Amino acid sequence: MGWLWAIIVGLVLGVIARAILPGKQDIPLWLTVVFGILGSILGNAVAGWIGVEDTKGIDWIRHVLQLAGAVAVVAVGDRVWQKIRGGRSRST
């Protein structure tokens, strides 16, 4: 059941990350899910490093770190995807 939650969380975080980033990301939905999962893993790792991976109640700091990780992975992943696919060029 853990893999199902990873996919659901990856989808949600990936879609939110794409909404936060300016401009249009030309990555497919499956890659958005993968990037969301990777961002979640990155956020959990950072939460563990700073000692907030498990708190009483809702782990807001961990969730914010997961979202920040997803934003970072989607931003970098979109650029890599465009280079691989030969897509649009960015001026930023």
Side-chain angles (χ1 to χ4, degrees), residues 2-15 17 29-45 65-67 69-71 73-74:
W3 59 270
L4 181 61
W5 277 114
I7 293 171
I8 292 170
V9 169
L11 174 64
V12 171
L13 286 176
V15 169
L29 183 61
W30 67 268
L31 199 52
T32 301
V33 173
V34 170
F35 290 162
I37 292 169
L38 292 175
S40 176
I41 292 169
L42 178 63
N44 281 337
L65 291 170
Q66 288 174 333
L67 181 58
V71 169
V73 172
V74 167

Side-chain angles (χ1 to χ4, degrees), residues 18-33:
R18 284 180 67 168
I20 289 173
L21 288 169
K24 184 176 184 331
Q25 291 75 42
D26 291 326
I27 54 176
L29 183 61
W30 67 268
L31 199 52
T32 301
V33 173

Side-chain angles (χ1 to χ4, degrees), residues 69-92:
V71 169
V73 172
V74 167
V76 171
D78 179 51
R79 289 181 184 250
V80 171
W81 179 256
Q82 292 310 314
K83 286 190 186 267
I84 291 171
R85 302 291 292 180
R88 72 189 187 289
S89 62
R90 291 190 171 181
S91 60
T92 58

